[in-house]
Amino acid sequence: MTTEPTPTHLADLTATRLTAGYAAGEFSPVEAASAVLERAEAAQDRTNCFTRIDADEALAEAKKSAERWRSGTPAGLLDGVPVTVKDLLLTRGAPTLRGSRTVREEGPWSEDAPSVARLRESGAVFVGKTTTPEFGWKGVTDSPRHGVTGNPYDPERTAGGSSGGSAAAVALGAGPLSLGTDGGGSVRIPASFCGIFALKATYGRVPHFPASPFGTLAHVGPMTRSAVDAALMMDVITGPDWRDWSQLGAAAGSFRAALDGPVAGLRVAFSPSLGWDVPVAAEVAAAVRRAVGALAGLGAVVEEIDPGIADPVEAFHTLWFSGAARVVQHLDGAARELLDPGLREICEQGAGYSALDYLAAVDTRMALGQAMGRFHSAYDLLVTPTEPITAFEAGAEVPSGSGHARWTGWTPFTYPFNMTQQPAATLPCGVDGDGLPIGVQLVGARHADALVLRAAHALYEAGAAEIPAPPAS
């Protein structure tokens, strides 16, 4: 791995560089936390990406971390690293409001989600909670409770979702690491729109509690500014937790150690549109093709080929809308009037499905998983655009004039791989004529998380993931 220079602002450092600096005595966790908190306030003013910023708590944690580093006893791999957490994940001492006016703020908030607990045990410094659409139901970030989250590159555009607050915070230097969730693209969509890295790991690799009402579609994943930081974060958050009965247990080895493995000889399938009738924007298509060319230049064996699967959107809707109906099942009529109107619509649709409808969707899902398993017996990686478009107007579920009824209409390349539980990452590969980020998606076979991270890291090392930073104001 390359040695990272020190930028002029500590908030621009990656987690990997921060911990190296702490160990060498170049700067302290308190200095880093102060720099990040300054950026967090600016990011909030620019994009509305936080539901809360915990400055006093963060500085208190940073002081304890500084003492540990001075005594040579850091708590773990992320001691002193500022992190943010999507407001769907339980965080001890902070309300988890889920973007909903139906959630009461009163505590006690006494429990951490598994991934949050692993970060806390590792000494991470918690900066705050990031915005989400209500209960994470859609691919953009606006909610009745917290309003609209804008894009760091243009606040009039969407940050994407449902982990839009996390993506905007990371892009603007409000902590190098964030925890997001992904049920149909929810770390990859906003990462693509905001120009950062995100990984949806194999289902069960990162323990999740409480269990998502969206079932085994929902994953927890790292959102970072590099594949190295994501691997570092994965080495922490994949620790086993008995509260998740579907967890995979401890990983076989270190994700960081696997980054420097070879890319030469990897069998890469490049599918520009998954073989579907998807109108991919010309600038997006060109940028993704350049990223594929960079993989080929590194020695990967690239073939342009589609995986031969049908769009599972109707089955996904059955599973997703049923989950949404379950989320609000306990609410009475008055409380339901407080919901996002779009969420209320899909809940009504979801409540109308039968058990047989649900099981038919499960059948579609299993067939899709088998098809992708067969495909990956011939190819190590599948590469697609993350999104066929760049960020559109903020506050809208779908782009104006698109004709799409729901958010799934404009993000066809993300939700299929929640259906199949495969690892999928996005990294920036360029910007369009408006300066908005473009993402490329790398998909691996189930359990091939380390391989996906390795290929992404190779693209970063080759300079294929460099894009301009968001404007300061």
Side-chain angles (χ1 to χ4, degrees):
M1 286 178 273
T2 57
T3 301
E4 183 182 337
T6 304
T8 56
H9 199 291
L10 287 176
D12 293 324
L13 291 178
T14 63
T16 307
R17 182 65 181 88
L18 282 174
T19 54
Y22 301 156
E26 296 177 56
F27 40 79
S28 76
V30 176
E31 292 173 298
S34 298
V36 164
L37 286 166
E38 177 187 324
R39 283 287 184 85
E41 294 289 351
Q44 177 65 0
D45 290 343
R46 181 168 175 78
T47 65
N48 185 38
C49 57
F50 283 96
T51 65
R52 61 183 288 132
I53 297 172
D54 293 312
D56 291 343
E57 181 181 349
L59 288 172
E61 292 172 352
K63 289 175 183 176
K64 293 176 183 177
S65 174
E67 293 171 3
R68 291 191 294 268
W69 281 105
R70 277 195 296 269
S71 65
T73 58
L77 295 174
L78 296 177
D79 202 343
V81 175
V83 301
T84 58
V85 178
K86 183 181 182 179
D87 197 35
L88 291 184
L89 294 166
L90 291 179
T91 306
R92 192 178 72 217
T96 300
L97 302 175
R98 301 175 173 88
S100 181
R101 292 181 290 180
T102 69
V103 177
R104 297 183 61 182
E105 191 166 352
E106 297 80 4
W109 300 99
S110 57
E111 189 170 14
D112 283 330
S115 50
V116 177
R118 301 295 86 78
L119 290 177
R120 197 182 300 278
E121 291 160 4
S122 192
V125 171
F126 291 90
V127 173
K129 302 294 289 286
T130 57
T131 51
T132 175
E134 193 164 22
F135 301 114
W137 79 271
K138 59 183 174 180
V140 294
T141 299
D142 58 74
S143 73
R145 184 154 200 158
H146 296 115
V148 177
T149 296
N151 191 292
Y153 286 80
D154 179 355
E156 298 301 313
R157 310 281 187 122
T158 181
S162 62
S163 305
S166 288
V170 170
L172 289 169
L177 308 179
S178 193
L179 277 174
T181 64
D182 189 315
S186 288
V187 299
R188 290 163 290 152
I189 295 167
S192 178
F193 282 178
C194 295
I196 68 166
F197 181 84
L199 172 70
K200 179 189 75 68
T202 299
Y203 180 81
R205 176 52 63 209
V206 181
H208 194 180
F209 173 86
S212 171
F214 298 106
T216 58
L217 293 172
H219 305 58
V220 177
M223 304 181 73
T224 66
R225 294 195 291 267
S226 72
V228 176
D229 269 8
L232 175 64
M233 202 171 176
M234 285 286 287
D235 279 345
V236 173
I237 65 176
T238 54
D241 194 295
W242 62 265
R243 293 174 293 174
D244 182 354
W245 65 270
S246 61
Q247 65 176 315
L248 294 178
S254 165
F255 292 98
R256 287 173 301 147
L259 288 177
D260 290 328
V263 172
L266 287 181
R267 303 164 300 169
V268 174
F270 170 42
S271 179
S273 66
L274 287 180
W276 305 339
D277 184 20
V278 177
V280 178
E283 290 172 304
V284 171
V288 171
R289 193 170 288 275
R290 286 193 297 271
V292 172
L295 281 174
L298 293 168
V301 180
V302 176
E303 180 180 353
E304 188 165 328
I305 186 172
D306 298 320
I309 56 174
D311 185 353
V313 67
E314 293 306 324
F316 178 81
H317 283 168
T318 300
L319 300 172
W320 192 254
F321 297 174
S322 297
R326 177 63 175 162
V327 170
V328 305
Q329 188 176 28
H330 67 289
L331 298 178
D332 61 21
R336 286 178 182 246
E337 288 302 312
L338 299 175
L339 296 173
D340 180 328
L343 174 59
R344 198 160 57 239
E345 289 174 9
I346 70 162
C347 289
E348 291 170 0
Q349 186 173 342
Y353 293 126
S354 69
L356 288 178
D357 293 330
Y358 193 92
L359 290 173
V362 171
D363 286 343
T364 297
R365 183 181 189 182
M366 289 190 293
L368 180 65
Q370 290 168 346
M372 288 307 302
R374 185 184 313 113
F375 184 76
H376 281 288
S377 68
Y379 299 96
D380 300 302
L381 290 174
L382 170 65
V383 181
T384 75
T386 309
E387 296 300 327
I389 57 175
T390 53
F392 52 90
E393 62 268 27
E397 182 186 349
V398 302
S400 61
S402 67
H404 298 307
R406 294 263 76 104
W407 62 271
T408 44
W410 53 263
T411 180
F413 305 136
T414 57
Y415 58 78
F417 305 109
N418 293 81
M419 300 278 281
T420 61
Q421 303 187 341
Q422 294 172 247
T426 182
L427 63 155
C429 62
V431 295
D432 69 6
D434 293 326
L436 297 168
I438 296 166
V440 58
Q441 180 174 234
L442 310 180
V443 183
R446 289 180 76 241
H447 311 294
D449 307 80
L451 177 62
V452 170
L453 285 165
R454 186 204 313 170
H457 175 58
L459 286 173
Y460 273 100
E461 291 287 271
E466 295 178 358
I467 64 169
S473 62

